[in-house]
Amino acid sequence: MTARKGAPAIKKLPDKRGYFGAYGGRFAPETLIPALDELEKAYYEFKKDKAFQQELSYLTKNYVGRPTPLYFAKRLTESIGGAKIYLKREDLAHTGAHKINNALGQALLAKKMGKKRLIAETGAGQHGVATATGAALCGLECEIYMGSDDIARQSLNVFRMKLLGAEVAEVSIGSRTLKDAINEAMRDWTTNVATTHYVLGTVFGPHPFPLIVRDFQSVIGKEARKQILEAEGKLPDYLIACIGGGSNAMGLFHFFIGDKGVSMIGVEAGGRGIVPGEHAARFAGGSIGILQGTKSFLLQDDDGNILSTHSVSAGLDYAAVGPEHAFLRDSGRVEYTYATDEEALSAFERLSRTEGIIPALESSHALAEAFKVASRLSKDKVVIVNLSGRGDKDVQHVAKIKGIEL
Amino acid sequence: MSRIEKKFKEVLRRRGKAFIPYVMAGDPSLERTREMVAILEECGADIIELGVPFSDPLADGPTIQGAAQRALGEGVTLGKVLDLIGSLRQSTQIPIVLMTYYNLIFRYGEEKFVRDASLAGADGMIVPDLPPDEAGSLLSLSKDPGFDIIFLVAPTSTYERIKKVTRASRGFIYYVSITGITGSKLSVDPSIGSHIAKIKQMSGKPVAVGFGISTPHEASEIARIADGVIVGSAIVKRVSDSNENLKDYLIALRKAIR
């Protein structure tokens, strides 16, 4: 099988107004529109700027530790007894998750734009840690918004952010999770837009965020494509990634979109089952709407108010999904499914025991689906799972679920 | 000419300034909102902004967020607010502008919304997360001059943005006094006066200023440079005060806005 180049038609998205087909756009308060225009302009400028690209590429290699390995999980593959399972080891990137790819890129961009302060939202804490890291590296002030429920289940990451010199602002209104942390970050940005850059952590929000975050994350798929061709001499049969907002999935998928033989699956959080309030599977239980600056799939009631969500993993516990995913779903290019809390927890333990790798609970959702897919396939097939983050941050939370006191 | 345009014409003809108070529909009950509308009119309001509660009001500060939460807890929906306006129209003809977020309208259906809102007797809408760039379909649906879409200009707006927003806005232009969210502390940039004068000159439309105005003193300062003054959070904070105290405050505001 020969490698195909990415399909240019899809790479051209979003359009000038930030739309991926019917999804995306810029539904933001007027106060922010000039800042979004400025960001878009700066992004396109620095994308072409050689010095900026060199600095980013130096740091990507020597600071983040890229390329991250593509690891053949031999014992896991044998225990499943089907397709070969490869893990894209984003857990080995500096700070322990893929989030650094975007946070570092945006921190550099903000510094070049003359901003003094970074703000960000965080769910699992990984994006908060990554942004605090980028801020420390670039010498910028940093404030991270985090829901009080997430602070409780991710206390380790809260302390890491503080160690890195960031302030952590507790958000105790509304859902007390990621969604309200984004609302608060947008309110802060609206107030301090002259000096502050908002490092949105996923392929969501008003244009140009879904584009910028995807581009900074697309290094994952770019590497994986090269690595799998070296390892197997062919492209994979499946790519599987978990989806909260969807940045690790877009990062893995983007460079394979044009490879028609490569199937792609995005795995949302099924929580305790597809009942309103008990899950975060937007494609299974949601509908089209507008939230936090973009048009996409949301979990909402009949009146358009946003429903509460649940997932064992803070990073997937969110009521909306990135607009490009909504587009890829409509186009049929990517299939979307979900894994429940229970399935994710079981995958979490299985990878730990068979491979000696403790995955993030978010990534465990992708693993749960990969086990199902691989077991149905013959041994000559190849599945790549994006191991988007490591599970150290989840250890306390999992112990608590299992009723173990540490 | 819409009811809002007529009102501004009338106010400006007698060399006055418009007083535009805001209340959240259903906070703490729809009955109270009905009573509030009567009090506001009695105390000299020219136009009333009626908030429709949304779960994620990202342009609003804690006061209006809290009000929205209470109203949602009461089961208030866009449909119920339109019903309220319909019944208010039996007793008052004061212009009423809906203020809410786009998802509620999108979910209700844009076409149905414009039709039902006009039928109920609403005069316009302000949607802070819907810039004119995304409002194409709503603008073409609400060509009926009786229903105005009011857009916002911010202190950060560039010349190009001001041109776009003022061209699209109908009824009046909502000038956001501060770089921030509703209910923030007012700290007015000294250039606001010339900024507003330029917007008025460019558009030929009345400009009302809101966000963070809470004391009669602030209201009078703003009234000197704008055609109308919008007071939101400060009134929402007093929604459960005694009617007597509330009226004293509103009358003081009214007197200050001239």
Side-chain angles (χ1 to χ4, degrees), chain B residues 146-160:
Chain B
F147 193 77
D148 291 327
I149 306 185
I150 296 143
F151 291 100
L152 300 92
V153 175
T156 53
S157 298
T158 56
Y159 178 77
E160 286 306 310

Side-chain angles (χ1 to χ4, degrees), chain B residues 142-230:
Chain B
S142 54
K143 287 212 172 95
D144 165 17
F147 193 77
D148 291 327
I149 306 185
I150 296 143
F151 291 100
L152 300 92
V153 175
T156 53
S157 298
T158 56
Y159 178 77
E160 286 306 310
R161 291 300 305 172
I162 294 172
K163 228 166 52 182
K164 187 167 214 170
V165 170
T166 55
R167 202 173 283 163
S169 196
R170 289 204 317 243
F172 64 92
I173 291 154
Y174 192 133
Y175 185 86
V176 177
S177 59
I178 46 163
T179 304
I181 53 177
T182 61
S184 307
K185 195 174 156 35
L186 187 68
S187 71
V188 172
D189 189 289
S191 65
I192 186 176
S194 60
H195 211 184
I196 289 172
K198 206 167 98 195
I199 293 169
K200 282 204 275 192
Q201 190 198 7
M202 271 171 74
S203 66
K205 293 172 187 171
V207 177
V209 176
F211 279 40
I213 299 161
S214 95
T215 66
H217 175 70
E218 288 165 348
S220 84
E221 294 284 298
I222 295 293
R224 289 200 315 203
I225 49 174
D227 301 314
V229 179
I230 302 164

Side-chain angles (χ1 to χ4, degrees), chain A residues 113-157:
Chain A
M113 287 169 73
K115 302 290 178 181
K116 307 277 177 246
R117 178 172 173 262
L118 299 182
I119 56 167
E121 80 295 343
T122 198
Q126 289 302 119
H127 176 58
V129 168
T131 303
T133 301
L137 182 70
C138 294
L140 301 168
E141 287 173 51
C142 185
E143 185 160 357
I144 306 294
Y145 289 90
M146 188 168 187
S148 45
D149 284 7
D150 290 338
I151 286 180
R153 55 182 162 177
Q154 302 287 352
S155 55
L156 203 63
N157 271 342

Side-chain angles (χ1 to χ4, degrees), chain A residues 136-191:
Chain A
L137 182 70
C138 294
L140 301 168
E141 287 173 51
C142 185
E143 185 160 357
I144 306 294
Y145 289 90
M146 188 168 187
S148 45
D149 284 7
D150 290 338
I151 286 180
R153 55 182 162 177
Q154 302 287 352
S155 55
L156 203 63
N157 271 342
V158 174
F159 188 59
R160 286 172 78 197
M161 288 181 256
K162 289 180 179 167
L163 278 176
L164 291 160
E167 278 184 48
V168 179
E170 177 166 353
V171 179
S172 45
I173 48 163
S175 67
R176 298 187 300 273
T177 60
L178 184 57
K179 173 174 73 76
D180 285 273
I182 295 179
N183 286 338
E184 278 306 288
M186 290 193 76
R187 289 178 185 123
D188 180 318
W189 200 32
T190 306
T191 307

Side-chain angles (χ1 to χ4, degrees), chain B residues 65-80:
Chain B
Q65 288 172 43
Q69 283 305 314
R70 288 190 292 276
L72 288 172
E74 284 292 298
V76 174
T77 61
L78 179 53
K80 285 185 183 172

Side-chain angles (χ1 to χ4, degrees), chain A residues 228-243:
Chain A
I228 199 70
L229 285 171
E230 278 167 15
E232 292 286 335
K234 62 172 189 176
L235 288 170
D237 298 286
Y238 279 89
L239 301 176
I240 302 177
C242 67
I243 302 200

